[in-house]
Structures are given as structure tokens and as C-alpha cells.
């Protein structure tokens, strides 16, 4: 539902006229009209000053009639009715009639809701209703497409952890959509940006922009802390004499501080790019409001530029308001208004036709996860229309869904799709934040992944449609979420949201040094999971994505950070308690990345029962085994059977282990077998970034080679790793592109490579069609046989029904059961495992006993062929080969191998045998 345009066409025309060409000065208002209600151009800093006489301006003709004279006056915009509203739900909530706005801040002394029109003009509404530190109001006839933000008035005392700065237009922490972009302007920062020593103050906006990127201050340089400011106001905001006229300037000077730079106004409409249809533009002040039910008109303020304001510097010396020419160099420089340089929050329409959508709700043991990047997955696909490449719609295109279904994928795990910020330092290097682990919009899908990013809130609808299409195909959608830090960075970062709203509530500050941030993530800050409102934000976000966006689960980036109550990781922390008791979040897939960079952060196996984990020990063990590291047999066997040593003691099942060998951070599968060393020079950090100990082996040559033997070995090693992963107990995860041999040319940290280096090259699907077919066969073998998808751990004991037979048997190449000496052998390269299809203890969903074929998997990580003897009649009389990694597509030439015979397992290969009799 959209808000209809105003019935008063003249008012609408007049409103649009306020963004007329800046070279035309506005006329003086008619008698009785407040000067501050007159519209002013968005780029008013370049406009001539208004005429101070009542006569005609120079170079203009006097009006012939009184009517013509009146027509020269731009009327005041329609007043906005403001109702009290409710403190909950937080954020902007449209109900079909109007929108409720609510924002939490415990430190705020006053809060302004700022409505921004599509030309970048701002109208401020002082929020007078406060309940439990939630500032709120309800605006009738304000609806979807309305741009908005907040200004927080309160103490700016960084040394005490307080960073309120009303010159910053702040985003809504509960914003469900955003519009525009951040441009790196100094106005995004709450401290003065140092100019180059060899040059004077910038003489143009472009020069100022170039010399003051967001992260340009040196890491060891302390920030220039702005002087404390005070204002002798022209009136009490609660009194009748206080200014109540509307503000239509692009960057209104804040009435609560001398905080705006008169030189800094820019054309906000050009920056915002908000040229939208009137029906989607969120028209405000609709004349159809029932005035009997409406409250008093909004208190919408613009400062009196002639007001007798004073600014106090750090030494409390009273100074006159600096002249325009002095603001760049003044030690008491007023803060710059960030409107026009920051993103804007957008009111969304929550209604969507889900067409009876239902989650597949596939159990973990039947799940095969595919980790993917929205853009990287689709950026080069020739069968996707160019306009849809790199978008949610492109990811939901039938060719992508068919590719995933043909593989046997049951869940797609998307790298961050919460709204994130581009890093200004990377941008200056010609790079971009590709991965997206720099989020701030925990309720909003990332705008750049929308096929029409200029359409306000279009990303929301497109994301929902994508989820619906995946569900129709039986594929679940899991989101990689980053609740451990935000894009605002450390004390030198920009003020765009949380920092300016309530710094101490949202962030972990250093004890005894609250101007600094605790950093368990390596990103500059850590969210404060100890504060109830931060916990509420996280939980509300999770519920929103489940209930409103229909996602099926979450993978938590650096999840150990969320578990830190004081300093140590606590598996009984408040966050886990909230998840455990939540009737919505507790019922979806919960996957932890069980580590962070803080002390004691590596917590594989230590998360509570509801949780599954990225099993880093599985990754390391499988890599070590296939590259020929000695003495890994015992741990290899444990990882192959579900890592009971990590999960059984906490009542979890094998599916708690998310088995992966490759993920987004590190080598691709092809690069893992092609490089010994990382090659990250393209990242611009002299190859210092990225993991140096990769447990990789290049098979004898570093990087690309024409040697056919090396290339054949590399292809076989890829098949070995894929087969091991899909035949292990647990929940397998395939990284996007590994099924077609994607390469990053040895770069193991492509976080900043939004380029063909990191995107999927779909031409490889034909070039490496054998690998693609092998991957399909391995996944199909797993999906068809419950013996590879056990819900419970192996008992290693005789089965109580039927034959006196173990559910699992470990064998040496000679066909004998493994002994302690065999496990401790330094050779440790070859073994076989028998999986008894009649030894599955659990029952199916209908309560029936599960019976399956029995299999023997023979592993040989040695550099020579080894003969395996099929010795025991108790295990099977006759066997056939079903998967052999020596063959490019996994075919086996073993049609029948009787008991007592030997089968040759090729050097560095794997063979799967199925019991016939």
C-alpha cells in the first residue's frame, strides 16, 4: 500500500520549487511569513543572499499585481500531525495508515526524527514521548518510501564513552531498508580531519573529500577531539515561542549546537539519487488526516542563523561563532552536517504475496549446505540477463536453482546480505569490500544486491521473492550474520548509527579507558552483548529474518564474541539463554563459527546443545591427511565418524559437526592443491594479509603448470577431498565454485576483490565437467544411503538384533581389524572402514527400523598403490565398486570382488565398495 499524493497540487508544486536552481536567490517572504519557513535550495551555499529590501531584486521586474507578488512566496509545507505512538516495536513500522517510529537511547537528552524528501530536504520532528528510554511518535499518512534518520542531542564526552553528535544524521538501528551511499566526506566523522601538511585548507568540496577519507588518519594518531559546545537557545523547545516552522534545507543547522559548517552545504538531492515516483516517495502531511484525531502539528525546527549562539572551546573560552572563512582551520571547528553524505533509512511496506510459502525444514542429517556469495555466484553467468547479474533476482534465476538441484544441494548459505558499508581505505586503493563482513543494517538486505537499487526498499521485495523461489525448489536459505561488530570501526571510525545513538550501550568499551573499544574481532569494535537492548536488537533481528523474510537459519560469524560475558567465552551467557528459550529462533538452523581473535576464543565443540558448528578441526585434519602428514589416522577416523569427541558429551549428534574443508576465507579447493604459499599481492598489503599456514600442498609445482602428471594429481586430490567430505558423518558444506574448479590464483583472502578474481567463472563448468559430474555422484551417493547420514554416533559394539555384528569396523590394508599399535603407527597413510547398513540404531520418521546397504571405504594417502585384502566373510562375500577417485568422474571398473581377493587402491585415492552379498 502506498501513500497517495497530496490533493493540494499547488502545495506539491511549491514544494518541488524549493530545490530550484541555486543561482536564483529566494525572494524575501511576504509580511507575516516567518523567514525560516521559506524554502531554500539544497545547494544554498552557492546561492546569493536573500534581498534585504521589500522591493524587487536587482535584475528582476516588479510584480504587476498583488496576486503575482503572492505567487513569488513559497508557501510553508503542510504541517505534519504527530501522535504519541508507542515505544514498541522499535524502528519504523508502517500499519497501512501511518508509521510508528521508535528509537532506543539511554543517554540522549533530546531526539529529532528527520524526514528527508526525495530532493534531500529535511524536516525535523522533536520526539517528546519517551518510555523506558525509547523515543517515539506516530505519523499518520507517512508510509513506504519515506526517507528518514535521527539526530541525537546529548553529551559529547569521548573520554567518558559518550559520543552524541546532533550534526550527524544517524541511521535507524532497526532500519529495514536504506537508500543512497556513504561518500567518505569529513562530515561522517565527529572530529576534525587533518589537512595535508604541505597544503592549506581545501578550497573545494572535492579537495576536502579527497584529503579526508574515513580511515585515513594514521593508526597511531589520536583523533582531534572537537571542542565541547554549548548554545544559548532562542527559546524553550517546549514553549509556544519555540520555532515551529518547517525546514526544507538540505543540511539544516542544528538548533541544539553550533554544529553545522555554513560552508559545507551540498546538493543532497544529487548525492541521494532519490528520484522516485510520488506514490513511493512517502508523502508527508497528507491533507486527508482527520484533524479531530490528530495531535498538534509537528515541532519541526530550523535554527535562526542570526541567533546569538556561543561556542566554547576545550578551555571554556567564549568565542564568537567562526566566520565562514575560518571554519576549516579553527581549533573549535563546528561539526559538519552529514546529511547528503550518508545513507538514509527508508520506511518499507511489510506486505508481500508469499503464495503459501513454507520452509522445507529439512533435518540436519539430510542437509547439504552450499556456501555462496550473491554477486560472485551470478556476476558472469551467461544465461542470466545482464541486468540481474549480481542480484537477489539473479541468484533465484532458474539456471542457478537448477544447478544447485542437480548437485543435490538442500540449503544455500549466503555470505553477508545485511546492509554493509564500503571501506573508504579500500576504495582509495581501487578495491571494494566484497565479502560484506562490515555490516550495520541488521534488518535490511544489502542495497547493492537489488536489481533496481534506486527503488526505495526494492531490495526487501526482491530478497523475499528470492527466498520464495528457493523454497519452491526445496532449498533452504541460511544467512551468514555478523552480530559481533559493526561498520563504525574504532574510535577513528565514522558516526553513522550506534556510536552516536548510545555508544556505551551498543559497544564494549575498554574498562578504565571508555574512549577506546574492545576488539575481539580485528575490526575495531565489538558489540556489547551484555547490554539488554543490544541483546534485544540481535534477537529482534533474528526473529525478523525468520518471520518476515522467511529464512531458515543463521551462521554466526565469530560467534565466540557473542558469548563473552566479561572477558571469557561463556557457553551459559545471556545470548545463548535467549536463543534457547526463544520460540522462533530456537527452531531454525543455528551454525556457529566457534572462534574469535580474543584470548580463549577458539571454542570448537563448546557451544550449547541447540547449536551446530563449523568444525575447524575437521578441516585441518582432512587437509593434513590428504597432503600426507604423518600420524593423523586416529583423528582422521574421529572426524570421519562425526567428531564424537567434540559433540557427544553435550548431548549433540553427528550433525552438530558442519564438515567443511573449504570456505570463503582461504584457498579454493583447486588452489588448495595448487599452491603452498598465499599470493595476495593484489590486495595491496604486500602479501601480509591472509593465513600463512594453509595446510595446502601444490603437488610439486607452485601455481599453474602444463605438466600433465601434476594436473592429474591435483584433480584427483580435489576428488579425494570432496568424496571424504560427503561420505563423512555430519553435515557437509561445499564452497561455491569448488564443484567446477574455481580458482583465485592463489589469493586466500579475497575480501576486497570484487572482481573476476573472486567471482565464479562459469566457463569452468564445461572445462571441468568431469569434476562437476563427480561432485554430483558423491552427493547422490550420500543422499541415497542412510548409512552416510546417521543421526546418532556409532556405538562400536555388537548389534543386538540379527547377526552379532558391529555397526562400524576399522581395517588395515591386510583386512585385519585395527589395533592400538596400528592406530599409533607412524606410517598412518592407509586404512579402510566398514559401515554396516544393518547396524543403524535409530529409526526413521515413521518409527520404522532403518536398513541400508553396507559399504567399505578404502583410503590411501600414500604416494604408491596399495593392495587391500577383502578378508572377512562376516563383513561380506562379494563387493562392487561404486566410486573411485582415480577416475575423472568417479566410475569404478570393479564389478565383482569376492571375499579373500585383493583390490588395488591407487596412490592418493579413495575407493568405495558396496556389499552385494
Amino acid at each position: 500500500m502506498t501513500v497517495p499524493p497530496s490533493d493540494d497540487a499547488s502545495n506539491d508544486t511549491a514544494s518541488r520549487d524549493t530545490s530550484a536552481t541555486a543561482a536564483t536567490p529566494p525572494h524575501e517572504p511576504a509580511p507575516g511569513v516567518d523567514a525560516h519557513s521559506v524554502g531554500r535550495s539544497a545547494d544554498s551555499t552557492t546561492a546569493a543572499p536573500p534581498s534585504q529590501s521589500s522591493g524587487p531584486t536587482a535584475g528582476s521586474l516588479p510584480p504587476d499585481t498583488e496576486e503575482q507578488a503572492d505567487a513569488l512566496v513559497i508557501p510553508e509545507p503542510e504541517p505534519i500531525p504527530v501522535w504519541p505512538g508507542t515505544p514498541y516495536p522499535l524502528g519504523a513500522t508502517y500499519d497501512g495508515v501511518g508509521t510508528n517510529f521508535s528509537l532506543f537511547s539511554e543517554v540522549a537528552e533530546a531526539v529529532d526524527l528527520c524526514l528527508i524528501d526525495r530532493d534531500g530536504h529535511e524536516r525535523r520532528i522533536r520526539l517528546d514521548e519517551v518510555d523506558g528510554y525509547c523515543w517515539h511518535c506516530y505519523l499518520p499518512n507517512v508510509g513506504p518510501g519515506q526517507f528518514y534518520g535521527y539526530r541525537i542531542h546529548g553529551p559529547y564526552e569521548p573520554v567518558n564513552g559518550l559520543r552524541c553528535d546532533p550534526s550527524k544524521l544517524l541511521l535507524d538501528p532497526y532500519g529495514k531498508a536504506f537508500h543512497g551511499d556513504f561518500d567518505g566526506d569529513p562530515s561522517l566523522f565527529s572530529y576534525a580531519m587533518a589537512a595535508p601538511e604541505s597544503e592549506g585548507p581545501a578550497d573545494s568540496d572535492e579537495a576536502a573529500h579527497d584529503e579526508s577519507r574515513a580511515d585515513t588518519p594514521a593508526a597511531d594518531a589520536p583523533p582531534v577531539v572537537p571542542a565541547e559546545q554549548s548554545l544559548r537557545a532562542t527559546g524553550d523547545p517546549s514553549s509556544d515561542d519555540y520555532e515551529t516552522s518547517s525546514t526544507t534545507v538540505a543540511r539544516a543547522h542544528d538548533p541544539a549546537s553550533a554544529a553545522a559548517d555554513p560552508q559545507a552545504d551540498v546538493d543532497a538531492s544529487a548525492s541521494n539519487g532519490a528520484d522516485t515516483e510520488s506514490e513511493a516517495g512517502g508523502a508527508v502531511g497528507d491533507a486527508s488526516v482527520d484533524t479531530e484525531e490528530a495531535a498538534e502539528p509537528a515541532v519541526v525546527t530550523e535554527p535562526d542563523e542570526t541567533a546569538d549562539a556561543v561556542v566554547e572551546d576545550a578551555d571554556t573560552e567564549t568565542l564568537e561563532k567562526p566566520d565562514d572563512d575560518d571554519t576549516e582551520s579553527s581549533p573549535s571547528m563546528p561539526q559538519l552536517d552529514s546529511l547528503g553524505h550518508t545513507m538514509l533509512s527508508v520506511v518499507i511496506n511489510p506486505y508481500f504475496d508469499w503464495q503459501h510459502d513454507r520452509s522445507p525444514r529439512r533435518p540436519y542429517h539430510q542437509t547439504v549446505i552450499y556456501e555462496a556469495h550473491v554477486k560472485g555466484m551470478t556476476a558472469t553467468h551467461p544465461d542470466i540477463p545482464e541486468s540481474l547479474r549480481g542480484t537477489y533476482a539473479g541468484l533465484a534465476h532458474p539456471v542457478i536453482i537448477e544447478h544447485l538441484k542437480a548437485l543435490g544441494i538442500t540449503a544455500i548459505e549466503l555470505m553477508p546480505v545485511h546492509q554493509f558499508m564500503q571501506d573508504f581505505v579500500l576504495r582509495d586503493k581501487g578495491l571494494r569490500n566484497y565479502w560484506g563482513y562490515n555490516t550495520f543494517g541488521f534488518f535490511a538486505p544489502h542495497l547493492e544486491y537489488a536489481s533496481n537499487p534506486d527503488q526505495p526498499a526494492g531490495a526487501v521485495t526482491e530478497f523475499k521473492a528470492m527466498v520464495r523461489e528457493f523454497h519452491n525448489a526445496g532449498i533452504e536459505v541460511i544467512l551468514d550474520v555478523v552480530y559481533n561488530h559493526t561498520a563504525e570501526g574504532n574510535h577513528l571510525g565514522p558516526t553513522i548509527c550506534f556510536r552516536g545513538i548510545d555508544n556505551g550501550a551498543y559497544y564494549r568499551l575498554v574498562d578504565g579507558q571508555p574512549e577506546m573499544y574492545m576488539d575481539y574481532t580485528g575490526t575495531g569494535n565489538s558489540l556489547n552483548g551484555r547490554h539488554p537492548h543490544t541483546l534485544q536488537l540481535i534477537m529482534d533481528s533474528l526473529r525478523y529474518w525468520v518471520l518476515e523474510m522467511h529464512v531458515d537459519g543463521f551462521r554466526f560469524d565469530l560467534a565466540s564474541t557473542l558469548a563473552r560475558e566479561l572477558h571469557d567465552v561463556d557457553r551459559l551467557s545471556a545470548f545463548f539463554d535467549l536463543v534457547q528459550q526463544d520460540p522462533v529462533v530456537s527452531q531454525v538452523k543455528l551454525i556457529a563459527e566457534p572462534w574469535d581473535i580474543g584470548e580463549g576464543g577458539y571454542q570448537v565443540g563448546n557451544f550449547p546443545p541447540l547449536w551446530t558448528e563449523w568444525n575447524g578441526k575437521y578441516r585441518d585434519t582432512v587437509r593434513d591427511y590428504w597432503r600426507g602428514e604423518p600420524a593423523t589416522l586416529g583423528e582422521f577416523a574421529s572426524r570421519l565418524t562425526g567428531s564424537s569427541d567434540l559433540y557427544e558429551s553435550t548431548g549433540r549428534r553427528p550433525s552438530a559437526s558442519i564438515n567443511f574443508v573449504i570456505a570463503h576465507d582461504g584457498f579454493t579447493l583447486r588452489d588448495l592443491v595448487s599452491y603452498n604459499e598465499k599470493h595476495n599481492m593484489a590486495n595491496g598489503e604486500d602479501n601480509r594479509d591472509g593465513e600463512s599456514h594453509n595446510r595446502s600442498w601444490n603437488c610439486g609445482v607452485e601455481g599453474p603448470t602444463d605438466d600433465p602428471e601434476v594436473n592429474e594429481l591435483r584433480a584427483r586430490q580435489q576428488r579425494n577431498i570432496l568424496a571424504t567430505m560427503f561420505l563423512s558423518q555430519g553435515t557437509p558444506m561445499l564452497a561455491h565454485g569448488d564443484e567446477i574448479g574455481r580458482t583465485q590464483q592463489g589469493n586466500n583472502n579475497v575480501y576486497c576483490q570484487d572482481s573476476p578474481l573472486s567471482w565464479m567463472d562459469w566457463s569452468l563448468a564445461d572445462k571441468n565437467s568431469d569434476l562437476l559430474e563427480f561432485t554430483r555422484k558423491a552427493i547422490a551417493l550420500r543422499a541415497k544411503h542412510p548409512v552416510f547420514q546417521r543421526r546418532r554416533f556409532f556405538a562400536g559394539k555388537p548389534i543386538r538384533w540379527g547377526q552379532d555384528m558391529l555397526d562400524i569396523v576399522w581395517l588395515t590394508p591386510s583386512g585385519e581389524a585395527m589395533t592400538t599399535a596400528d592406530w599409533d603407527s607412524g606410517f598412518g597413510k592407509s586404512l579402510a572402514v566398514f559401515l554396516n547398513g544393518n547396524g543403524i540404531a535409530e529409526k526413521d520418521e515413521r518409527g520404522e527400523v532403518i536398513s541400508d546397504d553396507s559399504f567399505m571405504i578404502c583410503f590411501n594417502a600414500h604416494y604408491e598403490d596399495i593392495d587391500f585384502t577383502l578378508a572377512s566373510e562376516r563383513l561380506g562375500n562379494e563387493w562392487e565398486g561404486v566410486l573411485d577417485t582415480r577416475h575423472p568422474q568417479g566410475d569404478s571398473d570393479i564389478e565383482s570382488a569376492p571375499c579373500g581377493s585383493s583390490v588395488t587402491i591407487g596412490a592418493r585415492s579413495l575407493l568405495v565398495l558396496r556389499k552385494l552379498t
Side-chain angles (χ1 to χ4, degrees), residues 764-837:
L764 295 174
D766 293 328
K767 181 180 179 180
N768 298 324
S769 59
D770 287 342
L771 179 60
L772 178 57
E773 181 59 26
F774 177 89
T775 307
R776 290 171 176 168
K777 285 184 178 179
I779 296 176
L781 182 62
R782 173 188 179 86
K784 183 178 179 180
H785 295 285
V787 74
F788 300 118
Q789 309 173 62
R790 293 174 58 103
R791 290 191 296 110
R792 300 180 183 274
F793 290 106
F794 291 100
K797 299 177 181 179
I799 303 303
R800 296 179 180 177
W801 55 86
Q803 304 178 54
D804 186 21
M805 181 61 63
L806 300 176
D807 55 0
I808 185 171
V809 180
W810 296 97
L811 304 166
T812 66
S814 63
E816 301 296 328
M818 293 278 287
T819 65
T820 302
D822 294 323
W823 287 115
D824 294 338
S825 171
F827 182 67
K829 299 293 190 297
S830 306
L831 80 165
V833 59
F834 169 76
L835 304 178
N836 187 355

Side-chain angles (χ1 to χ4, degrees), residues 852-911:
D852 191 20
D853 292 329
S854 296
F855 290 87
M856 186 177 297
I857 310 176
C858 304
F859 298 90
N860 179 22
H862 190 45
Y863 58 83
E864 293 180 332
D865 295 353
I866 289 182
D867 290 335
F868 276 67
T869 301
L870 306 176
S872 176
E873 294 181 355
R874 296 180 60 199
L875 301 183
N877 294 316
E878 187 178 8
W879 302 83
E880 69 169 347
V882 294
L883 192 70
D884 190 341
T885 61
R886 289 183 299 178
H887 190 280
Q889 294 190 2
D891 298 333
S892 173
D893 56 5
I894 301 177
E895 296 182 357
S896 176
C899 177
S901 65
S902 295
V903 294
T904 299
I905 310 300
R908 296 191 174 98
S909 70
L910 175 155
L911 173 66

Side-chain angles (χ1 to χ4, degrees), residues 740-759:
I740 60 174
R742 184 173 75 91
T743 178
Q744 295 170 175
Q745 307 302 324
N747 191 321
N748 71 352
N749 192 32
V750 295
Y751 77 101
C752 59
Q753 297 294 331
D754 188 2
S755 69
L757 180 66
S758 58
W759 302 339

Side-chain angles (χ1 to χ4, degrees), residues 181-189 193-196 199-217 251 264 266 271 328 336 340-342 422-425 427-428:
D181 202 356
F182 305 99
D183 62 6
D185 189 80
S187 63
L188 296 172
F189 301 84
M193 308 293 285
E199 301 178 6
D203 56 3
S204 71
D205 289 342
E206 182 177 357
H209 176 73
D210 288 342
E211 69 186 24
S212 11
R213 300 294 188 187
D215 294 325
T216 48
R251 296 172 123 209
V266 297
S271 174
E328 292 289 346
L336 306 178
H341 302 284
T342 185
Q422 288 296 332
D423 187 284
F424 304 129
V425 172
R427 188 183 62 185
D428 289 346

Side-chain angles (χ1 to χ4, degrees), residues 442 482-491 498-499 503-510 516-531 534 538 558 560-562 564 566 596-598:
F442 299 131
V482 188
Y483 294 115
N484 52 74
H485 71 279
T486 79
E488 289 185 302
N490 63 13
H491 61 290
F498 308 95
R499 191 196 310 276
N503 188 54
Y506 284 117
Y507 292 119
R508 293 284 297 268
L509 307 180
V510 176
M516 307 300 287
Y517 295 83
M518 294 296 296
D519 184 9
Y520 296 112
T521 65
T523 60
N525 65 55
S526 299
L527 272 180
N528 185 9
R530 300 179 297 180
H531 194 282
T534 302
I538 296 173
L558 302 180
S560 293
T561 301
L562 297 171
R564 291 185 182 272
L566 297 174
D596 62 22
I597 68 169

